[in-house]
Amino acid sequence: MKIEGMVWKFGDHVDTDMIIPARYLNLSDEHELSKYCFIDVRPDFVKEVRVGDIAVAGVNFGCGSSREHAPWAMKAAGVGAVIAKSFARIFYRNAFNIGLPILESEDAAEAFSEGARTSVDLETGEIKTTDKETRVFAKPVPDFMREIIRAGGLVAYIKREGSF
Amino acid sequence: MPMTITEKILAAHAGKETVSPGELVQVNVDLALANDITAPLAINVFHDLEACDVFDRERIALVPDHFVPNKDIESAQQVKLTREFARKHRIKHFFELGETGIEHVILPEKGLISPGDLVIGADSHTCTYGALGAFSTGMGSTDLGAILATGKTWLKVPAAIKLVYEGLLPPWVEGKDLILYTLGILGVAGAVYCSLEFSGEVIRKLSMSQRFTMANMAVEAGAKNGIFEPDEITKGYIEGRSDRPGAFLRSDPDASYDQEIKIAVDDMEPQVALPHSPDNVKPVSEIDPVALDQVFLGSCTNGRLEDLRNATRLLKGRKVADGVRFIVIPGSPSIYKEAIKEGIIETFLDAGAVIGPPCCGPCLGGHMGVLADGERALSTSNRNFVGRMGHPKSEVYLASPVVAAASAVMGRIASPEEL
């Protein structure tokens, strides 16, 4: 599966309050939530993000709360994939579970610049600009997580397997 | 093979003799928890799974605590959905207004968690129950929805970091200071995917209340869980609350740790985390005398009776400074009641504090004390990210209940020593 879009750069320790502030957690619908994605730190994000765009960040992306509203808001806003040096563990699980593709790469944050047209191959982990001038490979996804993605998320996986 | 207490609990729940770090295991869950924010999404997942019934109606806790009493129509809808699910599936531990309080205060108080248990909650501060020698960790709503249906989940066995606290705690230094100091050392990503094991002579003497405070903030270092070996103090807490004795496990002496960090406490001062990160920690004496607009005493970190009691030691006969709004929220109805009996609530009211009903309060910036543009608060809660308690241009400092009380009186960040 390939994703292509524009790069949005973020720093280290992007927390879940930045992704979706708690005052919007009275909402459960992903499309409603997506209207407020990054509203305090990047008020222009929701207006300008396009389907398939790629968030590229540093270490510990998604730290803080367990709120699944955070990956839902990003996914519904159009984010096609998140690439970070590392992820906070609850966000990591949540993203796989709801089908928001995420990849770990030590190099992407330095290699790709804001606005660069970039594609991501989820099977091979290849991340490259469309002019092919910049290319890195993400860390392989653990087999078990890959199974969840292949099934189409945790709900589909459990329905298929009957249990875990 | 020698194992840590965390590995022993995971092995027992995976039906294995041993487990080791990095291994993926499927485990049985003893108790599953969700709140008014995370339960609605988990219930949607439960329905998407086409599950007929919950895995065990007595081993699920649904606790409306974030936006209660319902703050607006949307949050009222969320609680309604949760309540209807609880009724339909006859969930034993649904906490209605009047019984409800902060999830991580209520569940131990009601005896729902015993040492050796495996607890999963759709709330990142589920790690609080490690104070009882249980394995507990936060997950998202999809994982929780799957647990509601199956009673099982998967986990990666975490590597462990051992923290050894040595020496004698100086006056006014509490569990909150120990964990803030530790976060200052580890950083907010210092324990990502790891287990934090709290140990040493200082820990052995700590009350359960202080242990809950420390375990609560393990996630602020990115940890999967924070855990204490259960002992006589744990036993004293469990007795009379739970009819399940629990498994009093200990780490083997030769268990393996990725890191072992010794922390000397003899010269420790009360600690304060500055905006905008829980690891931005300094001793209180090194903090600039910034003026405060609001002080909040409460939350799953520091909303217990001992926290309120300690704060009032400084407040008797004193008044909150002009221009400071002091919000106090007892963590549960029984804490509230006991605080009334002991005269604690009267002391707060005489000092000029306002008392809120048991709930998460202003901790997450949605309800009961939201900050305005440019306002500054000191809070006993656990996070001070940008905009955490309100306006993105507001600031939050984190500290212990006694620092909160001293600061409310002085109108600026202050050490209890100054009063």
Side-chain angles (χ1 to χ4, degrees):
Chain A
M1 186 179 157
K2 270 198 178 158
I3 291 147
E4 191 178 313
M6 203 182 81
V7 166
W8 290 77
K9 294 282 293 277
F10 293 89
D12 292 337
H13 311 297
V14 171
D15 62 68
T16 50
D17 282 278
M18 289 186 202
I19 303 171
I20 183 82
R23 60 183 182 278
Y24 301 109
L25 299 184
N26 54 1
L27 306 169
S28 298
D29 178 77
E30 70 234 51
H31 299 290
E32 283 298 309
L33 286 162
S34 72
K35 294 180 191 165
Y36 309 105
C37 191
F38 292 112
I39 191 162
D40 288 344
V41 288
R42 297 188 81 160
D44 55 338
F45 181 80
V46 175
K47 248 187 313 187
E48 294 177 12
V49 70
R50 294 288 169 263
V51 173
D53 279 0
I54 295 155
V56 176
V59 298
N60 202 27
F61 187 92
C63 61
S65 154
S66 70
R67 64 188 72 153
E68 212 161 274
H69 312 64
W72 272 123
M74 290 184 75
K75 191 182 175 197
V79 173
V82 190
I83 300 157
K85 285 187 181 173
S86 63
F87 290 89
R89 55 163 284 278
I90 303 178
F91 188 93
Y92 187 82
R93 287 183 79 113
N94 286 348
F96 277 96
N97 285 346
I98 69 153
L100 172 68
I102 59 173
L103 289 169
E104 286 183 305
S105 164
E106 275 295 325
D107 310 317
E110 274 79 38
F112 294 91
S113 48
E114 179 82 16
R117 192 90 200 151
T118 299
S119 70
V120 179
D121 186 326
L122 293 177
E123 282 296 318
T124 62
E126 185 187 43
I127 309 161
K128 63 179 182 206
T129 50
T130 44
D131 61 14
K132 298 190 178 104
E133 278 188 11
T134 311
R135 190 167 84 130
V136 303
F137 280 90
K139 279 189 207 164
V141 174
D143 288 343
F144 179 64
M145 307 302 286
R146 201 183 282 264
E147 277 303 307
I148 292 178
I149 296 176
R150 284 204 184 117
L154 188 69
V155 169
Y157 177 85
I158 291 175
K159 274 175 141 175
R160 192 184 74 188
E161 301 288 318
S163 184
F164 281 93
Chain B
M1 195 179 79
M3 289 193 287
T4 64
I5 174 171
T6 293
E7 289 160 358
K8 286 182 185 183
I9 297 171
L10 294 181
H13 287 78
K16 293 182 160 222
E17 286 288 310
T18 62
V19 295
S20 52
E23 190 178 338
L24 286 173
V25 289
Q26 282 167 28
V27 290
N28 293 315
V29 175
D30 293 313
L31 185 75
L33 157 75
N35 58 50
D36 50 327
I37 304 289
T38 58
L41 289 178
I43 291 166
N44 289 345
V45 168
F46 180 85
H47 292 140
D48 287 347
L49 284 167
E50 295 162 15
C52 296
D53 211 353
V54 295
F55 80 102
D56 187 339
R57 69 173 200 93
E58 298 192 0
R59 290 198 281 149
I60 293 166
L62 299 174
V63 190
D65 60 357
H66 279 56
F67 290 154
V68 295
N70 302 337
K71 78 177 179 110
D72 53 19
I73 293 167
E74 288 81 3
S75 35
Q77 293 296 130
Q78 287 184 314
V79 175
K80 185 182 176 201
L81 194 149
T82 308
R83 180 186 297 116
E84 285 172 352
F85 180 84
R87 282 193 186 142
K88 182 177 175 200
H89 294 280
R90 297 166 45 243
I91 303 294
K92 191 174 173 192
H93 306 294
F94 171 74
F95 293 88
E96 191 52 89
L97 205 67
E99 301 171 315
T100 201
I102 304 166
E103 49 196 331
H104 309 310
V105 176
I106 288 264
L107 299 196
E109 192 181 280
K110 298 287 181 194
L112 298 187
I113 293 149
S114 293
D117 280 356
L118 191 149
V119 184
I120 305 292
D123 187 276
S124 61
H125 292 110
T126 302
C127 55
T128 308
Y129 316 126
L132 288 164
F135 174 90
S136 60
T137 193
M139 290 188 188
S141 293
T142 298
D143 277 316
L144 207 277
I147 294 168
L148 292 179
T150 65
K152 294 182 202 306
T153 194
W154 66 271
L155 289 163
K156 189 162 91 176
V157 179
I161 299 174
K162 188 176 190 176
L163 300 158
V164 188
Y165 299 85
E166 295 173 328
L168 205 61
L169 273 185
W172 305 116
V173 177
E174 305 185 344
K176 184 61 166 286
D177 304 301
L178 295 177
I179 189 65
L180 286 175
Y181 185 86
T182 307
L183 289 167
I185 296 172
L186 289 171
V188 289
V192 171
Y193 261 98
C194 291
S195 169
L196 286 182
E197 192 171 317
F198 300 100
S199 66
E201 55 184 326
V202 179
I203 298 301
R204 297 272 67 89
K205 288 181 235 157
L206 276 190
S207 68
M208 278 314 304
S209 181
Q210 308 282 321
R211 293 181 192 186
F212 284 124
T213 302
M214 292 184 72
N216 176 268
M217 291 187 76
V219 68
E220 263 54 75
K224 182 173 218 150
N225 71 322
I227 197 160
F228 292 69
E229 288 180 335
D231 55 15
E232 285 301 311
I233 291 172
T234 323
K235 204 172 161 199
Y237 183 88
I238 296 293
E239 275 170 5
R241 294 180 196 272
S242 175
D243 45 16
R244 294 182 301 127
F248 281 63
L249 302 169
R250 303 185 69 83
S251 292
D252 293 322
D254 47 353
S256 100
Y257 296 91
D258 264 17
Q259 284 183 70
E260 186 168 324
I261 301 170
K262 285 192 162 59
I263 295 170
V265 307
D266 299 282
D267 300 321
M268 196 178 282
E269 277 186 55
Q271 306 286 309
V272 179
L274 284 70
H276 292 284
S277 183
D279 65 357
N280 190 12
V281 175
K282 281 188 183 170
V284 66
S285 65
E286 290 176 24
I287 307 279
D288 293 334
V290 290
L292 297 169
D293 300 292
Q294 182 168 303
V295 175
F296 169 47
L297 170 53
S299 83
C300 57
T301 321
N302 279 123
R304 296 180 182 81
L305 187 63
E306 186 179 317
D307 298 320
L308 305 188
R309 198 185 281 141
N310 287 349
T312 51
R313 284 163 61 201
L314 287 161
L315 287 174
K316 281 218 174 74
R318 294 194 170 99
K319 289 276 182 197
V320 172
D322 282 347
V324 175
R325 312 182 295 265
F326 187 22
I327 300 170
V328 178
I329 300 191
S332 73
S334 71
I335 290 170
Y336 200 165
K337 191 174 171 188
E338 188 57 33
I340 289 172
K341 268 199 226 159
E342 288 186 25
I344 290 169
I345 297 296
E346 193 176 339
T347 304
F348 281 126
L349 290 171
D350 287 346
V354 63
I355 315 292
C359 67
C360 299
C363 167
L364 70 162
H367 195 26
M368 301 239 174
V370 180
L371 298 175
D373 185 0
E375 287 191 331
R376 219 178 256 139
L378 184 133
S379 172
T380 62
S381 54
N382 41 42
R383 286 188 181 136
N384 58 347
F385 302 144
V386 172
R388 172 72 183 182
M389 289 178 69
H391 196 281
K393 291 202 178 104
S394 60
E395 291 185 342
V396 180
Y397 292 74
L398 303 175
S400 71
V402 290
V403 171
S407 302
V409 169
M410 300 295 279
R412 59 168 171 82
I413 294 174
S415 166
E417 301 276 359
E418 295 181 58
L419 295 188

